[in-house]
Each structure stands twice: as structure tokens, then as C-alpha cells.
Amino acid sequence: MLKPDRIVLETDARFPSGPWTGFFLQPIIPGRHLMELRLTFGEGQITGEGRDWVGEFLIRGSYQLADGKCHWTKRYLGKHDVYYQGFNEGKGIWGMWEIPAGPQQTHMKGGFHIWPEGMGDPTHPSLEEEADLPCLGEEPAEIVEPEEVPALAVPRAACLTS
């Protein structure tokens, strides 16, 4: 009995297989339209499935490691196809989607951005706070009894070197 062909999963960190999330933009309906995806990357091929407000869909396409270029078809079950092309530069895949004009469909296009679920939204910059901790000197600070301290004296820091 022959074993089914198994795809070798991608090892490039830009293309991890598993849960992805993101959004697409549609000019006639403002705002981000969220997507949930489960993608598999291997041997230059993208496969997967997902859902958004339009419905459930399947993903089939390809990617290139050399330049991060990706393209795929998003096939809504029982509905229409949407064609995606974009780039992965280490912060997910971003680019454009398109639905060609048809007998009952006008031409539509917009932007998108998807990323691995654990990455966090790379389109929302985050602020980080950093502070230097005070340096504790090697010698303990001298304790001065309150009656010896003049009324306007300010205690000196133990150590403030960089």
C-alpha cells in the first residue's frame, strides 16, 4: 500500500504553519474586516482554511522564500473566489486582494494584512518603557540622626553613576 505524499513544513520563521489572524479592507464597507486562518506552508505551497464575516473559505497558493512574495486564492464555500497577492517581510503578509468583474459581480479590490496569531498586531505599534535602576554603592549609606540634619538640607543619593 502506498503512503500519501506528505508535505515538508517550512522552517523559515516568516512562514510558520498554524493559526494566523488579520484583516482585509473593503472600500465600500469602511473598517478592518477580521479573518481567522489556519495555514500550512511547505515546499513553496500555501494551503489552509478560515473564516470571516463573508463565510468559511479555503486557501490555495504559493510563496517564495527569496523575496517573500505570496499569492493565493481564497475560495468561499458555495460563493466566489478572491485573489490575493502580497509580501512577507517578517511582520506577516500584507498586500492587495481582488475580485474580478463577472456576470453578477463588479470588480472589487482592497488591502489586507495577516500574521501568525502569536505575533500580535504588527500594524499597532507598541510603546515600551525603560528606566535605569539606581546603583547601590558598595558601601552602605551613612545614616544621619534627624537632630543633626539642618532644616533645609537634602540627602544625597548613594550612587548615580551610569
Side-chain angles (χ1 to χ4, degrees):
M1 181 155 125
L2 294 174
K3 292 183 181 179
D5 291 337
R6 293 189 183 249
I7 192 166
V8 176
L9 294 179
E10 185 56 60
T11 57
D12 187 305
R14 295 175 296 169
F15 297 101
S17 295
W20 285 57
T21 190
F23 62 88
F24 64 92
L25 302 172
Q26 190 168 354
I28 62 171
I29 306 173
R32 292 180 171 198
H33 304 282
L34 302 180
M35 294 187 277
E36 296 175 356
L37 307 99
R38 180 159 295 279
L39 301 176
T40 301
F41 295 90
E43 300 174 353
Q45 301 299 306
I46 306 169
T47 58
E49 59 189 19
R51 66 182 180 166
D52 56 32
W53 68 265
V54 178
E56 295 183 350
F57 54 82
L58 299 175
I59 299 284
R60 300 286 178 268
S62 63
Y63 65 97
Q64 299 173 11
L65 292 178
D67 58 8
K69 189 172 182 179
C70 307
H71 62 89
W72 65 85
T73 300
K74 178 185 195 180
R75 174 162 286 168
Y76 285 102
L77 304 179
K79 298 180 182 177
H80 58 282
D81 290 351
V82 183
Y83 304 101
Y84 281 74
Q85 61 180 348
F87 294 90
N88 188 331
E89 296 175 333
K91 294 184 179 180
I93 303 170
W94 58 271
M96 298 293 293
W97 61 266
E98 183 173 17
I99 302 173
Q104 298 178 0
Q105 177 66 51
T106 60
H107 179 258
M108 297 174 69
K109 64 181 177 177
F112 78 92
H113 194 167
I114 63 172
W115 56 90
E117 203 169 78
M119 177 184 283
D121 185 345
T123 65
H124 288 143
S126 62
L127 298 176
E128 294 182 15
E129 187 173 331
E130 189 175 296
D132 291 331
L133 294 175
C135 176
L136 300 177
E138 293 180 11
E139 298 178 16
E142 180 181 337
I143 299 174
V144 179
E145 296 297 325
E147 59 268 10
E148 297 178 11
V149 177
L152 299 176
V154 178
R156 295 181 63 188
C159 177
L160 295 177
T161 58
S162 299

